Amino acid sequence: MKSYKGRGIVLHTLKYGDSSLVVYLLTDVGGRRSYMVQGVRSRNGRGSKLALFQSMFPVEFEGLESPRQEMHRFKEVRAGFALREIPFDVRKSTMALFMAEVLYRLVRECEPNATLFGFVWNSVGALDAIERGVANFHLWFLAQMSRLLGFHPGNDYIPGSWFDIREGEYVSARPTHTLFLTQECSRLLDELLHSDVRRLEEIALTRAERTEFLNAMLVYLGYHLDAVSAVQSVRILKEVF
């Protein structure tokens, strides 16, 4: 087997057999990859390793690749950096669950994407450290993801405009079709695209406004990538925020 070192963010896990786990990671070395972890769920297995494979947890690892096996394996795996709040704060853990599911459904590439990986890795640290503005973090994350995935607005925002999802641009007149963001959601999209994550508390939104923008962004992302429309953690997220 060929060995290699890398970093990853946990996106999803599946139980396999009585004691094993399939772990899906966004990695710096190969985009999205799946890993077989054997014995991690058995009573006598490496129970401490199971705690590493939670949604959006960062890991560093030495992987093993074999041409005869479809999935990679870990020779060694450990925490990428210590998380102080995400595992214990229900708001942040709920948001991490949502972010991981969105990434799991959006990212299918098996090629390294340093810009995307760096953003996601740093976002985990930012979410863990942020003290104020937590309720807006997932909205900022979705806006930034649209930029990284290549379908952010193709022109500059003008106050009072609508964002036409089909055309990928802000327009001065309300579109005649239904695939557009309202004027308020369009303004918020532009604000979030240009906001520093450390200043999210300055964006004052009601729960209804957050829900409206979240729904609009899922339609926007779903127009380009159908899989995002099936995100299950949205319901939990709306209950918390």
Side-chain angles (χ1 to χ4, degrees):
M1 284 189 174
K2 177 184 176 182
S3 67
Y4 59 92
K5 293 184 178 180
R7 296 181 296 159
I9 299 292
V10 178
L11 304 183
H12 186 61
T13 60
L14 287 174
K15 295 178 181 178
Y16 185 84
D18 294 330
S19 61
S20 299
L21 203 65
V22 177
V23 179
Y24 294 88
L25 298 181
L26 177 65
T27 72
D28 61 343
V29 290
R32 175 174 150 171
R33 285 186 173 177
S34 55
Y35 291 80
M36 174 66 71
V37 187
Q38 294 179 310
V40 74
R41 294 171 46 238
S42 65
R43 290 184 178 180
N44 298 322
R46 296 167 293 172
S48 60
K49 296 295 185 184
L50 187 59
L52 292 173
F53 304 124
Q54 308 298 313
S55 296
M56 295 302 286
F57 275 34
V59 295
E60 294 180 347
F61 60 87
E62 183 173 356
L64 295 171
E65 181 180 12
S66 170
R68 295 173 302 190
Q69 296 175 334
E70 184 176 342
M71 282 184 284
H72 297 241
R73 296 175 185 269
F74 294 120
K75 184 177 181 181
E76 295 288 342
V77 60
R78 59 185 178 276
F81 54 85
L83 294 176
R84 302 181 183 279
E85 294 196 9
I86 290 177
F88 312 107
D89 185 322
V90 66
R91 301 174 306 157
K92 294 185 176 183
S93 61
T94 300
M95 197 161 288
L97 179 66
F98 170 77
M99 291 162 59
E101 188 179 358
V102 167
L103 287 166
Y104 175 71
R105 296 183 181 279
L106 284 181
V107 180
R108 299 290 182 178
E109 295 84 358
C110 295
E111 296 295 329
N113 184 329
T115 302
L116 176 62
F117 180 81
F119 167 74
V120 175
W121 182 272
N122 292 332
S123 291
V124 175
L127 176 60
D128 195 61
I130 194 172
E131 295 180 0
R132 299 179 180 178
V134 176
N136 293 331
F137 192 92
H138 60 305
L139 306 181
W140 173 84
F141 181 81
L142 290 178
Q144 296 300 322
M145 282 296 297
S146 74
R147 183 200 304 277
L148 290 167
L149 293 173
F151 41 81
H152 62 289
N155 61 344
D156 293 331
Y157 172 75
I158 299 174
S161 60
W162 288 261
F163 178 65
D164 188 321
I165 293 175
R166 283 184 180 176
E167 299 299 323
E169 294 186 344
Y170 297 109
V171 295
S172 58
R174 177 172 174 163
T176 56
H177 56 79
T178 59
L179 289 172
F180 65 89
L181 270 63
T182 64
Q183 290 174 305
E184 180 56 31
C185 285
S186 299
R187 182 199 63 76
L188 183 54
L189 173 61
D190 180 68
E191 185 173 7
L192 289 167
L193 282 170
H194 295 92
S195 291
D196 188 296
V197 68
R198 295 166 294 185
R199 304 188 66 179
L200 291 180
E201 63 175 302
E202 299 175 11
I203 302 176
L205 298 172
T206 66
R207 173 175 287 197
E209 289 169 335
R210 288 192 190 95
T211 298
E212 181 183 10
F213 185 75
L214 173 59
N215 290 338
M217 286 302 295
L218 291 176
V219 171
Y220 173 28
L221 295 173
Y223 177 76
H224 296 277
L225 298 163
D226 291 340
V228 77
S229 62
V231 173
Q232 300 296 313
S233 53
V234 170
R235 179 182 57 82
I236 303 173
L237 192 69
K238 290 178 179 178
E239 289 178 359
V240 174
F241 297 101

